[in-house]
């Protein structure tokens, strides 16, 4: 019966999967591979210019069927993909949000469902939520994965969905935060006329009479008026005495001690080497706009302008959950176990993107532990590693279904890393907090029919975002740059990364349908040539050798690019400002 239902797309039993998400190209496991699963081509075959072009297959569906060619990203199923794809238990692929019911019902194990009595029309409960009954209409086939550019746009919009919070931070704690408000000058800069040089303050034409002594020093009280035809020694930063007309640098003046006269050895212009009051800014003038990252220079400017504390956006708080029983934290790989490369990498990477990051939590392949941590998290963003595909221990989708999360992005047409996802978790439940609304699709668009979902009352905060990264290391980097970077920029109030293009000096093969992200290094032009980027050789989904030497990722459109053409570049958070060469790592 289940097979018959699967053939017509009507089965609603068990967990469901995106038919394009499978155990290929950056799936839930970080095990090294002798070939690039997303391309069907050995990783080592690329002689420094990216992996060769690949065939039209996106990998087998769980039942072994081959998806048809992918239609352009239109938000509608591709006719070539209309053939049914069964999930591991025969269910039709469906990523819908689950509706809610009264609290107090029992919670089955993640990935499972308590089935309602046949013909009852009742939903099945998971914790405090109730799944739609099997008779609820379901779409026969979900939408195809989002294009890479649309997925980034969805992540950026999600980060900007609400107003930014603001806190006042002392200057010694504000470094790296983002200004929540424009920084206006609290005083004129400088706040009085000052000397720009060590030398002599003079009034009128010379030669000038002077008296011996220390003269006017910085930080001393206002000097008395300087009579016409007289001079006084002055230090850099000292207040200019009233009636002074210029400052003569010490090396440009001759003082005749016997006669008590000062002579200028160069012509003297009115106002020379004097910093007039308000030369840099006037009180109330905007110094830097909101959204500016507080650098050491911004701290110095703020201090000069009279600030003791700055209005800043709190850094987004991020939890990292490392999934997978096969991961080691120390020692050499052995007996089918491999080292966890993502746990040590993600924390520093996320901090470089402006987040406050807790230490990684290692949950293994435990759906219950994952569910409990997600339900209790008070972070702004949760990042998981692995478990986003359709394998037997890939628990992320079933747990998100059980918790009633909204999938904003469920698969991206990018290689490596296409099984990545972005979801919004509900806030911890409280009785009476919900109102019915039409359900949404997995890309956040309102569904036209079927089922019901929940929406919190106005003013009730939503739960954290979750980005599910594939387990393969370079595929996870792809997810970081595709979803996490624009999402965190919005949450932190940072400006989005400026897109720019650069010449690529090598042919870079592309996927027939999907975008490729290829590690590149900047190189300076020679003999009058333009600066350019060169693709790095080790760019398979499970490899980090290329990205460790890279300045950024080249965005390679489907079909690839020829040498001498321009490609969009995504800079890594620590990329240097000047070109460099990659050394021995390539």
């Amino acid at each position: 019966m289940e097979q018959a239902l699967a053939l017509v797309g009507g089965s609603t039993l068990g967990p469901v999967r995106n038919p394009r998400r499978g155990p290929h190209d950056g799936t839930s496991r970080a095990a090294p591979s002798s070939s690039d699963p997303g391309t069907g081509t050995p990783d080592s075959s690329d002689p420094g210019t990216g992996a060769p072009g690949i065939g039209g297959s996106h990998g087998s569906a769980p039942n072994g069927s081959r998806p048809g060619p992918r239609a352009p990203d239109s938000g509608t199923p591709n006719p070539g993909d209309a053939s049914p794809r069964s999930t591991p238990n025969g269910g039709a692929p469906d990523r819908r949000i689950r509706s809610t019911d009264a609290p107090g019902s029992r919670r089955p194990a993640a990935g499972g469902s308590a089935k309602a009595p046949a013909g009852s029309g009742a939903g099945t409960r998971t914790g405090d939520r109730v799944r739609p009954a099997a008779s609820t209409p379901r779409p026969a086939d979900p939408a195809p994965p989002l294009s890479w550019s649309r997925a980034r746009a969805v992540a950026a919009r999600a980060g900007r969905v609400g107003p930014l919070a603001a806190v006042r931070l002392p200057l010694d704690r504000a470094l790296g935060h983002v200004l929540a408000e424009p920084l206006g000058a609290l005083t004129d800069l400088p706040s009085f006329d000052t000397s720009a040089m060590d030398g002599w303050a003079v009034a009128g034409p010379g030669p000038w009479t002077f008296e011996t002594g220390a003269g006017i020093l910085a930080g001393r009280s206002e000097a008395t008026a300087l009579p016409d035809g007289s001079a006084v020694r002055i230090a850099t930063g000292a207040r200019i005495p009233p009636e002074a007309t210029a400052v003569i640098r010490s090396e440009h003046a001759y003082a005749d001690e016997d006669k008590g006269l000062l002579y200028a050895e160069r012509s003297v212009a009115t106002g020379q080497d004097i910093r007039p009051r308000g030369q840099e800014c006037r009180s109330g003038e905007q110094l830097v706009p909101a959204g500016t990252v507080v650098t050491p220079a911004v701290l110095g400017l703020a201090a000069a302008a009279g600030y003791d504390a700055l209005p800043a956006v709190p850094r987004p708080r991020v939890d990292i959950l490392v999934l997978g029983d096969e991961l080691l934290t120390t020692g050499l790989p052995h007996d089918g176990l491999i080292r966890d490369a993502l746990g040590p990498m993600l924390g520093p990477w996320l901090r470089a993107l402006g987040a406050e990051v807790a230490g990684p939590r290692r949950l293994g392949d435990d759906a219950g532990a994952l569910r409990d941590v997600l339900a209790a998290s008070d972070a702004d963003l949760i990042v998981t590693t692995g478990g986003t595909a359709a394998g037997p221990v890939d628990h992320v989708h079933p747990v998100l279904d059980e918790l009633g999360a909204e999938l904003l992005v469920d698969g991206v047409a990018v290689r490596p890393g296409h099984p990545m996802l972005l979801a919004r978790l509900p806030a911890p439940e409280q009785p009476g907090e919900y109102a019915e609304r039409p359900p949404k699709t997995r890309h956040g668009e309102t569904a036209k029919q079927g089922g019901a979902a929940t929406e919190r009352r106005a003013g009730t905060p939503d739960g954290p975002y979750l980005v599910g990264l594939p387990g393969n290391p370079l595929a996870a980097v792809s997810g970081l740059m595709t979803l996490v970077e624009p999402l965190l920029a919005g949450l932190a109030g940072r400006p989005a990364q400026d897109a720019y293009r650069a010449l690529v000096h090598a042919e870079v093969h592309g996927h027939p349908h999907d975008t490729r992200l290829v590690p590149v290094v900047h190189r300076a032009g020679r003999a009058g040539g333009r600066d350019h980027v060169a693709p790095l050789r080790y760019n398979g989904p499970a490899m980090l050798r290329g990205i460790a030497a890279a300045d950024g990722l080249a965005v390679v459109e489907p079909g690839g690019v020829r040498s001498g053409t321009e490609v969009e570049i995504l800079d890594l958070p620590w990329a240097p400002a000047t070109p460099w060469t990659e050394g021995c790592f390539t």
Side-chain angles (χ1 to χ4, degrees):
M1 181 63 180
E2 292 179 3
Q3 293 177 352
L5 287 171
L7 289 174
V8 297
S11 174
T12 58
L13 302 178
V16 290
R17 294 289 180 272
N18 182 337
R20 296 190 182 278
R21 189 173 50 247
H24 300 292
D25 190 14
T27 60
S28 62
R29 290 293 169 262
S33 171
S34 61
S35 65
D36 181 345
T39 64
T41 307
D43 291 333
S44 61
S45 65
D46 181 358
T49 61
I54 66 177
S57 172
H58 289 261
S60 298
N63 63 354
S65 62
R66 181 186 295 274
R70 188 174 65 83
D73 184 17
S74 60
T76 59
N78 178 14
D81 262 351
S83 58
R85 296 160 178 79
S86 63
T87 57
N89 64 353
D94 181 276
R95 290 264 60 85
R96 282 205 300 208
I97 308 170
R98 306 304 183 186
S99 60
T100 62
D101 199 59
S105 56
R106 295 194 306 172
R107 183 190 303 271
S113 62
K115 298 180 176 60
S120 67
T124 59
R125 294 189 175 182
T126 58
D128 294 337
R129 300 186 180 274
V130 58
R131 296 174 183 256
S135 60
T136 302
R138 295 177 180 269
D141 200 7
L146 286 181
S147 69
W148 178 81
S149 58
R150 283 191 61 192
R152 276 180 61 84
V154 169
R157 285 197 302 270
R160 298 192 301 267
V161 72
L164 295 172
V167 295
R168 296 194 67 82
L169 296 177
L171 296 185
D172 61 355
R173 291 176 49 204
L175 183 67
H177 286 75
V178 173
L179 290 177
E181 303 169 7
L183 193 67
L186 301 180
T187 182
D188 296 341
L189 284 183
S191 56
F192 48 82
D193 294 347
T194 63
S195 175
M197 294 288 173
D198 293 329
W200 299 83
V202 298
W208 303 269
T209 61
F210 69 91
E211 296 181 2
T212 59
I216 304 173
L217 301 178
R220 302 297 173 86
S221 60
E222 183 176 356
T224 58
L226 191 63
D228 191 53
S230 61
V232 63
R233 289 186 182 274
I234 192 167
T236 301
R239 184 191 295 265
I240 296 292
E243 308 303 330
T245 56
V247 170
I248 304 174
R249 302 181 187 189
S250 297
E251 61 269 27
H252 297 162
Y254 168 67
D256 187 332
E257 301 285 349
D258 295 334
K259 296 181 179 180
L261 291 176
L262 177 74
Y263 298 92
E265 297 181 338
R266 297 187 180 183
S267 60
V268 178
T270 300
Q272 75 177 28
D273 288 327
I274 292 176
R275 290 189 64 207
R277 176 174 181 167
Q279 181 187 50
E280 187 169 1
C281 67
R282 291 292 184 180
S283 179
E285 185 177 343
Q286 179 176 309
L287 301 176
V288 289
T292 299
V293 177
V294 179
T295 63
V298 171
L299 288 175
L301 176 61
Y307 283 88
D308 299 318
L310 294 178
V313 179
R315 288 193 183 103
R317 293 167 298 124
V318 181
D319 287 341
I320 300 171
L321 306 180
V322 179
L323 312 182
D325 289 339
E326 76 280 17
L327 301 176
L328 297 169
T329 58
T330 58
L332 294 175
H334 62 87
D335 300 326
L337 303 177
I338 60 173
R339 281 295 297 269
D340 169 30
L342 296 181
M345 180 178 75
L346 288 180
W349 197 305
L350 292 166
R351 292 185 188 98
L353 293 175
E356 295 282 358
V357 186
R361 298 182 63 177
R362 306 177 191 279
L363 302 184
D365 289 320
D366 187 333
L370 176 62
R371 180 189 61 240
D372 292 343
V373 171
L374 296 186
S377 176
D378 61 353
D380 299 299
L381 170 64
I382 302 167
V383 176
T384 63
T385 69
T388 60
V393 290
D394 290 335
H395 299 305
V396 173
H397 281 91
V399 169
L400 290 177
D401 281 346
E402 183 177 348
L403 293 175
E406 180 181 1
L407 282 169
L408 304 176
V409 175
D410 190 12
V412 180
V414 66
R415 303 298 172 120
H418 69 280
M420 67 182 74
L421 64 87
L422 168 62
R424 188 73 186 264
L425 291 165
E429 294 182 18
Q430 296 180 6
E433 239 184 29
Y434 295 97
E436 293 291 321
R437 66 169 169 84
K440 292 187 176 181
T441 67
R442 64 193 179 98
H443 295 319
E445 299 170 353
T446 301
K448 294 183 179 180
Q449 62 179 8
T454 60
E455 183 175 41
R456 301 201 170 273
R457 293 176 180 172
T460 304
D462 289 315
Y465 288 103
L466 180 142
V467 172
L469 300 178
N472 271 328
L474 189 58
V477 169
S478 176
L480 282 171
M481 300 302 290
T482 301
L483 298 178
V484 175
E485 188 266 340
L487 178 68
L488 281 180
L491 293 175
R494 291 171 177 254
Q497 183 176 150
D498 291 332
Y500 71 96
R501 302 180 72 83
L503 285 177
V504 59
H505 273 206
E507 181 179 359
V508 184
H509 298 283
H511 188 278
H513 309 295
D514 296 349
T515 299
R516 283 191 71 210
L517 299 182
V518 178
V520 295
V521 64
H522 288 293
R523 286 179 175 162
R526 297 178 180 176
R530 290 176 57 183
D531 293 349
H532 60 276
V533 297
L536 300 179
R537 178 177 179 183
Y538 299 99
N539 52 39
M543 295 182 174
L544 287 175
R545 187 173 175 182
I547 197 68
D551 295 320
L553 293 170
V555 181
V556 180
E557 297 296 330
V561 295
R562 295 183 179 277
S563 179
T565 58
E566 290 188 341
V567 293
E568 182 179 347
I569 302 296
L570 293 178
D571 283 333
L572 300 180
W574 49 86
T578 55
W580 61 291
T581 55
E582 70 278 11
C584 64
F585 290 94
T586 58

